[in-house]
Every structure is written in C-alpha cells, then in structure tokens.
Amino acid sequence: MSQSYNRGLIEDFGRWKEFSAGMWAWIFHKFTGWMLIGYLFTHIAVLSSAIAAADGQTIMLEGEAVNAYTGTIQGLESLFIIRVLEVGLLAVAVFHILNGLRLLMVDLGIGLEAQDKSFYASLILTGVITVASVPTFMQGVGL
Amino acid sequence: MAERYSSFTPGGTGWLLQRITAAFLVVVLAFHFFQLHFITHAADVTFAGTQARMEHVGYFLTMVLFLVTATFHGINGVYNALVNQGLDGIQKKVVLAVLTIAGLALIAQGTYVALVMAGWA
Amino acid sequence: MSTQQQEPDTDAETEPEEPESQEVPADQEMSGLASPQQQRLQRKHDGMAEREREAAEDDLEGDSVHIKVFRYDPEVEGKQEPRFDDFHVPFERGMTVLDAVIYARDEFDSSLTFRHSCRQAICGSDAFFVNGRQRLGCKTQISELDQPVRIEPLPHQEVVKDLVVDMDHFYDQMHAVEPYFQDEDTPDSADLEEQRQSPENREKIKMSSRCIWCGACMSSCNIAAGDNEYLGPAAINKAYKFAMDDRESEEIKEHRLRIVEQEHGVWRCQTQFSCTEVCPKDIPLTEHIQELKREAVKKNLKFW
Ligand code: HEM
Ligand code: SF4
Ligand code: FES
C-alpha cells in the first residue's frame, strides 16, 4: 500500500482506566521488581561501611564516636524519612512476593481462571501487612 | 521470520532459572525482613550484632546465596523487561554486558562485605 | 447526541454471544458433566437468558444509536488528518456493531471502509477496537455498549484506511509456526488409512482449533506492541494446536517446540491475560502459551 497511518501507542498509557487486572499486575510487578533491584545495590553500598568499621574507623553519632558501621546504620535509622522509605520497601517487597507466588502458580497452570482474583488478593494482603507493620517500623523515631 | 530460530534454547533456561530463584527468594526474603525488622529492629543493628550473626557458617552461606540469587533474578528480570520492549541489535548486546558487569560487581562487593563481617577477610 | 439512558454497561465483561452450533455432543456422558464444552454451553445458555431478559426490559427499539467512527484516508485530501465521524443509526433489536457501521456506510457515507464478510464470527475479518477493547464487530451487540460507541481500527497495526488495518505482520507470524499438519511417515498409499484421533486428544486441542485469525489478541498484547518479533498469542496457539495433536510424530513436535521456544516465542508472554480476555472464540490463549513453556522446559531437561 502506498501510505498508512501509525497510531503509535494510542491505547497504551492514555487508556489506563481500561487496563485489566492482569495488566495492572504486570505493571506493578515490574515496578516493584525494579525497586527491589535498585534497593539491593543501595543496600550493599550502605553495608559496605562494615569494611571501614573492621578497619577501626569511627564516626560521630549524637556526639559520640561509634564504629563506622553502627554509626551509619543507626544514623540512617534515626531519620524519619528513612523509616517511611522502609515501610515503602516492605510494601514493595510484600507485593512482589505475593504476586510472584501468583505468577508461579500461573506458570504451573494452576488456578488460571482466578488470576484476577488472586491479583486483588495480593493487593489487599499487601495493604494489610504493610499497615500492620507500621508500628514496628516506626518504633522510637521522632519526627 | 520463519527461518530465524536457532537450534538451542534462547530464553528457556533463563525463564526456568528466574522461577527457581523466585521460589528460593520467597523464603529467604521473608526470613530476612523478619529477622532484621521484627526480631532485631533495624534501628538496633550494631556492628557487633552483625558480626555475631555472620560468624555462623550457615547464616553466611545463606546470605551469600541470597545475594547471588537475588542479583541474578533482578538483573535477568530487568534484561527481560527490556527485551520485551523490543530492545535488539547492538544496543541489546551492550545492555546485556553492562548489566552482567554490574551484577558481578555487586556479587563481588557483597561477598567481600560478608567476609569482612564474619571476620574472615 | 441522543441522551437516552439505557443499560449502562451491565456486562461488558461477561461472555458475549457464542455462536456455537457445531459439535455439540448429543451424548452428554461422552465428556463428563463438567467438561469445558458443557461449561461453555451452560454459560452460553445462562448468557442468552440474561440477554433476553435485558432486551425485554429496556428496548432501544425506535431509538437511534450514536456511533463515533475513526476516519483516515491518505488518498483523500480532507481525510489525511485522522478524525472521528459521528453517525446516528436507527436501532433494531439484535443490532451488532457491524450492522451499525454497515448501515452508516449504506445510508450516510459510502466511503466508510471496513472489512467484513461472514457476519457470523467465522471469517475473522471485522475485529475492531470498540469502546477501548478489541471486539469482533459482528459478535458485539450494540445494546451491551455504552454510548456513544467509539469504533476504531485495531491498535498496534498500521491503519490503511478508516477501520482497515494492515494484517501482513500478523499473517507472517501465523505462517512462521508452520500452521499445517506435518507427518514424516504418511502411510503408503496402498494401505491409506484414516489417521484417527482419540476423543480425548480431540478435546485437548479443540479450543485451540477455533481460531479465526482475527488478530484481536495480537492487537491487545502490549508485549507484541513493544517487541515486533514476538510471535504473539494467535501464532503460539496455532503451534499448540499442532504440537498437542497426537497424530504428529515426536520429532515433529520437537521441531514445533523449537520454533516457539526461540527468544521471541513463548518466553515473551508475561501472562497479562489480555489476549484471553479479548479472543472472540474464547480460546484460553494464556493457558496454551503456559503449557508450551512447560513442554519446552521439559524437553530441554530431557536433553541435559
Ligand atoms: C521474594 C520473592 C520473589 C519472588 C517470588 C519473585 C518473583 C518474580 C517473578 C516470578 C518474576 C518474573 C516475572 C516474569 O518474567 O513474568 C520476577 C521478576 C522480577 N523480579 Fe522478582 N521475585 C522475588 C524477589 C525479587 C528480588 C529480591 C528482586 C530484586 C533483587 C526482584 C527483582 C525482580 C525484577 C527486576 C523482575 C523483572 C520485572 C520486570 O518484568 O520488569 N525480585 N520476580
Ligand atoms: S486466537 Fe482468538 S483473538 Fe487471536 S486471532 Fe484467533 S480468534 Fe482472533
Ligand atoms: S464478519 Fe466474519 S467474523 Fe465478523
């Protein structure tokens, strides 16, 4: 044909309201997966302060000299924003685990008819577990 | 299109390993979160505490295996996501190389840190 | 636009019409009570009763239906810029989306272009994007849709003109899986026999054999949209039909698995179920793709 028209991604993100359960599950799984791998890199970086600590280096924490590892971690944990981010990380991990289990079932061909329900269940459970964990995560931190 | 397939299994092994590592990660990741937020609170983590945990060979091995599987799973996941979006040609090769190097570096650094914590390096 | 408030989207999600006149087993015991076939018939039956009740409740009879149709034609001066045209079509009981566009073409604008042929969900030529979802025009009741009914060509394929999209790529992918029966050792013509299939095996591949090549599934798949080389649900389902057919030999099955296990084959499927949801022939596409993934893994484990 001489010429044709490419509508590009017309239906993709502008039409998010029409996405179905399976599509949302995919988007969330992707998002949480990327967050987790991103966090893993950060996590190892922070834990690397153990190398300095083993070397005997210290840093100041609330006016006291403590070893570099303890100081780094407790310094971070004393920040409100870090605690909030940790709750976020928990939510992300819990969703990825629950939906990951759902995907494993789908891969085994189990319960395919209930795939939308199991997605909603993952979402709700994630919410419940996250909310229930807030007190533990927020323990002893001031605003 | 018709003739463009090869005789071995591009993707199949990765797919299977992605699922196997996932099954393993479910258990360890849940354990890890539990241990460091509910048993010991993250805010109470100290170098001495970490050292005491890491000195157990079983714990050390679990953590290193956790690191290796999570890195494989995460990096492979990201790579797959990009292939799904139509990444191909040279770009694809470059991305694969960069991701592989980043993953190996992460594993090397992480293992070294664990050895230091255990007091073996 | 007419503002009558009829039947807001009660069951856009429930099974649409299922014209299943073929192969209804007279013998109910043949396949057991909960066989997929019986479940389908049950659903069909329930759906029909439901629809009749609804039709009786709020008849659109005498009203007109407002449709908005995508227009584009590279060869006509005024149509090179894509736009939507509005048509008000008199409603009739049982009117489908295809009926509505046919009416609009015959009565209002003879240049309105779309493919159609059988009008009974068997030729696969009239898959459109109706109210944000891939549907078969002739199998979609107007009365089940919210108005105005927005009718567009299938997404992720180039638009040739109005509702006509370029299907070449879709057909290429279908052909890539060698969609024909192959057998190395066809019996000698001297003792040519029927190649019989067991009823169980027939049941196994029955759903997969219903594909009408409409392309709705491929269009709904956002992996296929991103990765142009991805075989896509319909082609993989076609491969499933032959790979699972016992009458083909093991070697041919292996050959078929090698085609679908290429990098742009089954592994690209992210189990979003969008194809399964839009398929007008109710083929459980995701299920078939997943089964092929497991078969491919099993085959490779055997070789290790
Ligand atoms: C704890 C249990 C976990 C389970 C059950 C799990 C499960 C899965 C599964 C089944 C997939 C494959 C999706 C697909 O290809 O269709 C996946 C993807 C992924 N996972 Fe995990 N995972 C887990 C932990 C992790 C961790 C710890 C990380 C980070 C290091 C991670 C990062 C990713 C990434 C980046 C993807 C790719 C997402 C995408 O498609 O873009 N996962 N996960
Ligand atoms: S599998 Fe279903 S949606 Fe896809 S082409 Fe065949 S009939 Fe159409
Ligand atoms: S006109 Fe043949 S499938 Fe609709």
Side-chain angles (χ1 to χ4, degrees):
Chain A
M1 89 231 50
S2 52
Q3 212 183 342
S4 62
Y5 176 61
N6 185 348
R7 293 190 298 152
L9 296 179
I10 178 155
E11 69 154 342
D12 289 329
F13 287 99
R15 297 187 188 242
W16 57 273
K17 283 189 201 149
E18 285 150 3
F19 287 4
S20 57
M23 247 196 240
W24 280 118
W26 177 73
I27 291 171
F28 288 173
H29 199 79
K30 193 182 259 294
F31 174 76
T32 54
W34 286 69
M35 296 300 280
L36 285 174
I37 185 69
Y39 176 74
L40 183 57
F41 277 89
T42 323
H43 194 45
I44 297 296
V46 170
L47 294 185
S48 294
S49 60
I51 300 170
D55 243 15
Q57 291 178 33
T58 58
I59 56 175
M60 299 304 286
L61 180 70
E62 286 163 17
E64 271 178 74
V66 292
N67 76 65
Y69 180 80
T70 313
T72 306
I73 292 192
Q74 299 201 345
L76 285 171
E77 289 293 333
S78 67
L79 301 174
F80 182 75
I81 179 72
I82 292 292
R83 299 297 188 96
V84 173
L85 288 176
E86 275 180 345
V87 174
L89 180 69
L90 177 80
V92 157
V94 170
F95 177 81
H96 197 88
I97 292 180
L98 294 177
N99 192 59
L101 288 171
R102 168 181 169 273
L103 288 175
L104 290 178
M105 300 301 269
V106 168
D107 288 330
L108 293 173
I110 302 170
L112 293 189
E113 326 73 45
Q115 60 88 13
D116 45 350
K117 290 177 206 74
S118 56
F119 165 64
Y120 299 131
S122 312
L123 270 188
I124 293 169
L125 255 177
T126 303
V128 171
I129 294 178
T130 309
V131 170
S133 309
V134 167
T136 317
F137 275 69
M138 288 301 177
Q139 228 166 57
V141 67
L143 251 180
Chain B
M1 261 134 282
E3 307 309 326
R4 234 188 285 145
Y5 57 87
S6 60
S7 59
F8 57 97
T9 72
T13 326
W15 183 83
L16 184 60
L17 284 175
Q18 185 78 0
R19 319 287 126 170
I20 293 173
T21 51
F24 174 73
L25 287 169
V26 174
V27 183
V28 232
L29 183 58
F31 161 76
H32 189 63
F33 252 98
F34 232 81
Q35 167 133 42
L36 290 156
H37 285 280
F38 294 89
I39 300 177
T40 314
H41 294 293
D44 305 333
V45 168
T46 60
F47 192 40
T50 298
Q51 283 175 313
R53 275 191 292 274
M54 207 50 102
E55 272 161 18
H56 296 284
V57 178
Y59 185 80
F60 173 85
L61 288 178
T62 312
M63 286 301 110
V64 173
L65 195 57
F66 182 21
L67 173 69
V68 174
T69 48
T71 307
F72 171 82
H73 181 94
I75 297 283
N76 187 246
V78 167
Y79 177 66
N80 266 317
L82 295 174
V83 175
N84 288 340
Q85 295 312 304
L87 185 72
D88 64 5
I90 306 216
Q91 265 188 335
K92 181 168 141 183
K93 291 207 175 76
V94 171
V95 167
L96 180 60
V98 169
L99 284 175
T100 310
I101 292 168
L104 289 177
L106 184 69
I107 291 175
Q109 173 74 6
T111 310
Y112 177 58
V113 170
L115 283 168
V116 169
M117 288 171 174
W120 301 330
Chain C
M1 149 183 177
S2 46
T3 41
Q4 75 279 47
Q5 210 44 53
Q6 52 22 272
E7 220 233 10
D9 134 274
T10 10
D11 49 6
E13 289 308 297
T14 47
E15 294 304 303
E17 198 87 32
E18 186 150 14
E20 189 162 27
S21 51
Q22 355 74 313
E23 40 181 301
V24 176
D27 177 6
Q28 295 286 311
E29 271 151 46
M30 205 178 93
S31 38
L33 215 96
S35 77
Q37 172 75 351
Q38 254 133 352
Q39 288 169 9
R40 281 194 300 279
L41 288 174
Q42 185 61 40
R43 264 189 282 135
K44 176 188 174 188
H45 187 80
D46 296 349
M48 219 143 68
E50 170 86 353
R51 269 193 304 280
E52 262 163 34
R53 225 193 45 246
E54 269 163 17
E57 269 170 21
D58 38 32
D59 225 326
L60 289 174
E61 207 86 49
D63 286 326
S64 73
V65 197
H66 181 189
I67 59 175
K68 288 172 93 71
V69 186
F70 180 94
R71 306 301 302 274
Y72 165 77
D73 186 344
E75 283 158 19
V76 172
E77 189 84 47
K79 275 174 72 183
Q80 285 162 356
E81 217 22 67
R83 62 160 199 262
F84 281 90
D85 279 355
D86 292 83
F87 298 102
H88 295 268
V89 176
F91 179 80
E92 262 176 58
R93 167 86 68 96
M95 182 176 237
T96 63
V97 169
L98 180 64
D99 295 334
V101 282
I102 289 179
Y103 188 97
R105 178 196 62 195
D106 292 351
E107 306 294 329
F108 301 134
D109 181 348
S110 59
S111 74
L112 178 58
T113 311
F114 47 92
R115 295 192 182 102
H116 69 94
S117 167
C118 70
R119 302 208 210 175
Q120 48 182 331
I122 205 62
C123 72
S125 40
D126 64 338
F128 305 136
F129 195 58
V130 181
N131 279 2
R133 190 179 195 264
Q134 287 76 4
R135 307 177 206 248
L136 215 48
C138 60
K139 195 169 180 279
T140 306
Q141 291 287 316
I142 286 279
S143 62
E144 292 178 358
L145 300 170
D146 280 341
Q147 287 195 36
V149 179
R150 217 176 135 92
I151 307 168
E152 299 167 67
L154 289 181
H156 307 137
Q157 272 136 298
E158 305 255 312
V159 182
V160 180
K161 184 179 175 186
D162 294 347
L163 300 178
V164 175
V165 293
D166 181 2
M167 300 283 282
D168 284 353
H169 180 63
F170 175 75
Y171 295 147
D172 282 347
Q173 303 304 67
M174 291 301 265
H175 293 301
V177 300
E178 305 178 6
Y180 37 83
F181 191 79
Q182 302 179 43
D183 203 345
E184 295 294 321
D185 33 48
T186 306
D188 193 68
S189 61
D191 44 27
L192 261 184
E193 258 191 273
E194 280 179 81
Q195 290 193 294
R196 300 253 174 97
Q197 183 180 29
S198 71
E200 295 75 32
N201 192 235
R202 166 66 194 153
E203 186 62 36
K204 178 151 187 74
I205 65 164
K206 180 155 93 190
M207 289 311 279
S208 65
S209 68
R210 295 171 43 141
C211 178
I212 56 174
W213 298 48
C214 68
C217 51
M218 185 84 145
S219 165
S220 77
C221 174
N222 79 40
I223 302 299
D227 175 6
N228 208 37
E229 286 176 69
Y230 175 41
L231 283 174
I236 295 175
N237 174 70
K238 189 54 83 182
Y240 176 98
K241 175 189 186 296
F242 289 102
M244 294 300 167
D245 190 324
D246 285 345
R247 291 168 298 179
E248 281 189 346
S249 68
E250 274 304 307
E251 297 94 83
I252 295 186
K253 177 169 180 181
E254 250 166 52
H255 169 69
R256 292 193 180 281
L257 286 175
R258 271 200 295 278
I259 297 177
V260 297
E261 74 180 357
Q262 48 177 319
E263 185 168 24
H264 299 280
V266 287
W267 316 117
R268 297 275 72 78
C269 166
Q270 303 291 301
T271 60
Q272 294 183 39
F273 290 88
S274 56
C275 53
T276 306
E277 274 157 22
V278 299
C279 175
K281 305 307 281 186
D282 295 330
I283 303 173
L285 293 160
T286 313
E287 189 179 326
H288 291 168
I289 299 172
Q290 293 299 82
E291 197 171 336
L292 283 178
K293 286 181 189 167
R294 293 195 299 274
E295 286 288 312
V297 165
K298 271 190 243 159
K299 172 185 69 96
N300 294 325
L301 287 179
K302 238 178 13 200
F303 282 132
W304 285 349

